[in-house]
Amino acid sequence: MSEGKGPDFVVSYVDHGQRVDTAEDVKVLKFYAKKFSVPLILTKFRNTKPGSSEADLRKLRYEALANVGQGRPVFTAHHADDQLETYLLKILRGADPSTIRAMSIISKRKNLVLARPLLDVWKEEILEYAHEMKLKWHEDSTNENLNYARNRVRRELIPLFEKIRPRSKRHLLQ
């Protein structure tokens, strides 16, 4: 923090216009932004087509975050499970495993610097911490939709690996 100025960061939320429950996300973010006196910047895309591809939405999200970041690092909540899911999706799409690169803790995209400090932390660890600390959060409703390949990997493939060989997700991520 700058002396006497408050935080040198903001919280940003990008609504792709694809879900009906984003108001719940915003409610939680407003609660914490107010509690910690942190500015909250909300970006809402109104013209995205229903069912837009993950790649198209990612591009829009990164453009919005670049505008918010203005050259400063933008921290995301990507975690180890996201890393593993991305790796497995790339394999399922036919990528050569030897050419697949993991998400970097720090990466640059045009005018955006992304920082992902939680890549070594599993979602279950984050949830344990949130429960212990009695934190509020809202789970994205689309995480339950098995029409999305990522959710099938998360809900079906990875648990199958774990059933066949416990701790396999940790081994796969290595």
Side-chain angles (χ1 to χ4, degrees):
M1 283 196 203
S2 297
E3 208 172 305
K5 291 185 181 177
D8 288 331
F9 61 90
V10 300
V11 173
S12 178
Y13 179 79
V14 179
D15 178 354
H16 301 95
Q18 301 289 301
R19 294 182 12 230
V20 296
D21 64 341
T22 55
E24 292 300 316
D25 296 340
V26 172
K27 183 178 171 183
V28 172
L29 290 170
K30 283 182 176 179
F31 170 81
Y32 284 111
K34 183 177 180 181
K35 180 175 180 173
F36 295 108
S37 301
V38 176
L40 173 61
I41 297 174
L42 303 172
T43 304
K44 181 167 176 117
F45 292 106
R46 300 183 191 288
N47 299 323
T48 57
K49 296 176 188 155
S52 294
S53 75
E54 189 176 327
D56 289 342
L57 297 175
R58 183 182 314 106
K59 183 178 182 224
L60 287 172
R61 181 170 59 251
Y62 286 159
E63 287 171 6
L65 292 175
N67 288 334
V68 169
Q70 299 177 355
R72 295 172 301 201
V74 172
F75 289 77
T76 73
H78 289 109
H79 47 73
D81 293 84
D82 294 320
Q83 186 82 290
L84 177 58
E85 291 162 9
T86 299
Y87 175 75
L88 292 172
L89 281 167
K90 288 179 180 181
I91 289 175
L92 291 171
R93 291 178 183 140
D96 177 347
S98 67
T99 65
I100 298 174
R101 291 183 33 218
M103 286 187 276
S104 301
I105 291 175
I106 302 287
S107 64
K108 295 179 183 176
R109 300 171 168 264
K110 296 183 183 176
N111 299 327
L112 176 62
V113 177
L114 287 173
R116 301 178 185 99
L118 301 176
L119 285 179
D120 290 331
V121 182
W122 295 97
K123 184 174 181 178
E124 64 197 43
E125 296 170 309
I126 295 169
L127 290 174
E128 283 175 25
Y129 178 82
H131 284 292
E132 281 177 26
M133 301 305 292
K134 296 179 176 46
L135 299 177
K136 296 179 184 184
W137 75 90
H138 179 254
E139 193 74 29
D140 179 339
S141 63
T142 62
N143 286 345
E144 300 298 320
N145 186 338
L146 296 181
N147 291 327
Y148 296 106
R150 178 174 295 276
N151 293 343
R152 302 237 12 226
V153 166
R154 178 184 305 134
R155 302 248 179 228
E156 295 177 351
L157 185 59
I158 294 172
L160 178 60
F161 286 148
E162 287 291 308
K163 185 176 179 181
I164 293 169
R165 180 87 176 184
R167 299 185 52 84
S168 62
K169 72 180 196 173
R170 295 173 192 278
H171 299 299
L172 283 166
L173 192 58
Q174 291 172 353

